[in-house]
Amino acid sequence: QVWQIRLDMHLLNHDGNITDAASIAGIVALCHFRRPDVSVQGEEVTVYTPEERDPVPLSIHHMPICVSFAFFHQGTYLLVDPTEREERVMDGLLVIAMNKHRDICTIQSSGVVMLVQDQILRCSKITAVKVAEITELIQKALENDQKVRKEGGKFGFAESIPNQRITAFKMESAAVDTNNLEQQAGEIIAKADPPSEVFANPILHTPGTAQIGEGVENSWGDLEESEKEEAVEEEGESEAAAFECHKVETEDTSAVRETKNDEPIVLSDSEEEEVVILEPQELPRKTR
C-alpha cells in the first residue's frame, strides 16, 4: 500500500520564468508536507491521527531546482531568470534542473536558437551555483518553520492567514502627512533635472511628411523616377488642354461682324458654322 500525493499549483500572478518559480514552490511544498503515521501488522494497516502520533515527512533524498536561461541574438547574450517582457523577445530558452550535488536531473531547450557545447557547459556551471544558493534558502526556511511550530507559533503562510493577507511579510502602519502637498511637489520638481531639449514645432522635411524630434528624413510616399516622368507628362497635357479651352478658333476672322447685345454672329459666307459669345463664367465651346 502506498500514499497517493497530488500537488496543485495556482498562479496568483505571472511576471515570467514560471518554470523556476513552480519548481521551487513544488519542492518546498513536498518538503514541508507531513503525512499521517501508520503501522502495519500483517495485512492490517492502522493510520494514526495527528493527535495520536505526530505526522511524518516524506522521504525526499534530494531537491531538484530548475534554472532558466534566455538567449538573445542567436545565443550572443545570455540572461538568467527572464521576466515576462524578456520572454516575449527572446530567441530561445534553456531550462536545467539540478540538485545541490550537481546531479543534472533534466535539460529542456526550446526556441529557434542552436546551442553549442560551450554554452551548455557555461549554463550548467551557473546552475550549480544558483541551485546551491536556493537550496540553502529553502533549508533555512524549513528550519525556521519547524522551530516556530515547536514553540507553538506560526510561520510563513500560516502566519498570514489570520490577517487575510497573501504575503507573510508584515509592516507596521505609519501616519502619512498630507499637508502642503503642492509645496512639497514644487520642491521636488525644482530639485529635479531639467528636461531634455524639446522641439516646440514639428520639423517639416518634405511636403506631406512631418517629423518631431531627431531622426532621419521620412522618404515614405516619394515617387519613383518613372512615376515622376509620368507625372510631368500628365501635368503638361493638362496645361495644354487648359490652353485650348481658353482659345477660341475662328477660320475666317474677316468674315466676323460685330453685333450688340451678345447676339449670335453668323459668317458672311454661307458656311454651316456658328460662333457664340459666351458669358465670362462659362467655358467657350465650338459648335456646329
Side-chain angles (χ1 to χ4, degrees), residues 158-174:
E159 185 182 9
S160 63
I161 292 178
N163 299 329
Q164 296 182 356
R165 295 172 54 185
I166 296 176
T167 177
F169 296 102
K170 286 186 176 181
M171 180 180 295
E172 299 296 334
S173 60

Side-chain angles (χ1 to χ4, degrees), residues 168-213:
F169 296 102
K170 286 186 176 181
M171 180 180 295
E172 299 296 334
S173 60
V176 179
D177 185 11
T178 58
N179 298 325
N180 301 326
L181 291 179
E182 295 182 358
Q183 181 179 357
Q184 296 178 9
E187 294 177 355
I188 295 174
I189 296 175
K191 295 179 181 179
D193 296 333
S196 58
E197 183 180 2
V198 178
F199 293 91
N201 299 321
I203 302 175
L204 184 63
H205 290 280
T206 57
T209 61
Q211 181 174 333
I212 300 176

Side-chain angles (χ1 to χ4, degrees), residues 15-86:
D15 193 27
N17 198 9
I18 192 61
T19 303
D20 294 9
S23 68
I24 296 174
I27 192 64
V28 171
L30 294 175
C31 292
H32 186 268
F33 176 74
R34 299 292 186 272
R35 65 170 178 82
D37 194 8
V38 297
S39 62
V40 180
Q41 295 179 358
E43 296 181 356
E44 182 181 357
V45 178
T46 304
V47 180
Y48 298 97
T49 62
E51 290 77 12
E52 296 174 343
R53 289 188 182 181
D54 292 335
V56 295
L58 301 178
S59 298
I60 298 179
H61 302 287
H62 62 87
M63 292 184 287
I65 304 297
C66 293
V67 179
S68 298
F69 301 88
F71 294 92
F72 302 88
H73 295 284
Q74 297 300 320
T76 305
Y77 301 100
L78 172 65
L79 182 64
V80 184
D81 189 11
T83 63
E84 191 266 340
R85 289 186 176 182
E86 293 166 345

Side-chain angles (χ1 to χ4, degrees), residues 117-157:
Q117 180 180 358
D118 294 339
Q119 291 175 319
I120 298 177
L121 292 176
R122 179 188 177 189
C123 293
S124 62
K125 293 179 181 179
I126 298 175
T127 302
V129 177
K130 302 299 293 183
V131 167
E133 296 176 356
I134 297 173
T135 303
E136 185 178 359
L137 293 175
I138 293 175
Q139 291 177 347
K140 288 183 178 180
L142 294 174
E143 292 174 0
N144 294 333
D145 176 79
Q146 186 177 5
K147 179 180 178 180
V148 174
R149 286 177 180 272
K150 286 183 178 180
E151 296 175 356
K154 294 182 179 180
F155 182 79
F157 186 74

Side-chain angles (χ1 to χ4, degrees), residues 96-279:
I96 300 178
M98 184 184 298
N99 58 17
K100 66 178 181 179
H101 305 294
R102 297 192 175 187
D103 298 330
I104 296 179
C105 304
T106 181
I107 295 180
Q108 180 183 4
S109 177
S110 61
V112 296
V113 64
M114 299 296 294
L115 301 178
V116 297
Q117 180 180 358
D118 294 339
Q119 291 175 319
I120 298 177
L121 292 176
R122 179 188 177 189
C123 293
S124 62
K125 293 179 181 179
I126 298 175
T127 302
V129 177
K130 302 299 293 183
V131 167
E133 296 176 356
I134 297 173
T135 303
E136 185 178 359
L137 293 175
I138 293 175
Q139 291 177 347
K140 288 183 178 180
L142 294 174
E143 292 174 0
N144 294 333
D145 176 79
Q146 186 177 5
K147 179 180 178 180
V148 174
R149 286 177 180 272
K150 286 183 178 180
E151 296 175 356
K154 294 182 179 180
F155 182 79
F157 186 74
E159 185 182 9
S160 63
I161 292 178
N163 299 329
Q164 296 182 356
R165 295 172 54 185
I166 296 176
T167 177
F169 296 102
K170 286 186 176 181
M171 180 180 295
E172 299 296 334
S173 60
V176 179
D177 185 11
T178 58
N179 298 325
N180 301 326
L181 291 179
E182 295 182 358
Q183 181 179 357
Q184 296 178 9
E187 294 177 355
I188 295 174
I189 296 175
K191 295 179 181 179
D193 296 333
S196 58
E197 183 180 2
V198 178
F199 293 91
N201 299 321
I203 302 175
L204 184 63
H205 290 280
T206 57
T209 61
Q211 181 174 333
I212 300 176
E214 300 179 356
V216 298
E217 181 178 353
N218 191 349
S219 60
W220 177 262
D222 292 350
L223 298 177
E224 300 292 341
E225 295 296 333
S226 59
E227 295 179 350
K228 292 182 179 179
E229 295 177 359
E230 294 178 359
V232 172
E233 294 179 358
E234 293 178 357
E235 184 178 357
E237 293 177 358
S238 61
E239 292 179 356
F243 178 76
E244 292 295 336
C245 293
H246 292 287
K247 180 181 178 182
V248 179
E249 295 180 354
T250 56
E251 296 181 359
D252 188 1
T253 56
S254 61
V256 179
R257 58 186 179 84
E258 295 180 358
T259 61
K260 296 180 181 180
N261 300 328
D262 297 338
E263 296 178 356
I265 300 176
V266 182
L267 299 178
S268 58
D269 298 338
S270 58
E271 296 180 1
E272 296 180 358
E273 184 170 1
E274 180 180 0
V275 178
V276 181
I277 298 177
L278 305 177
E279 293 296 331

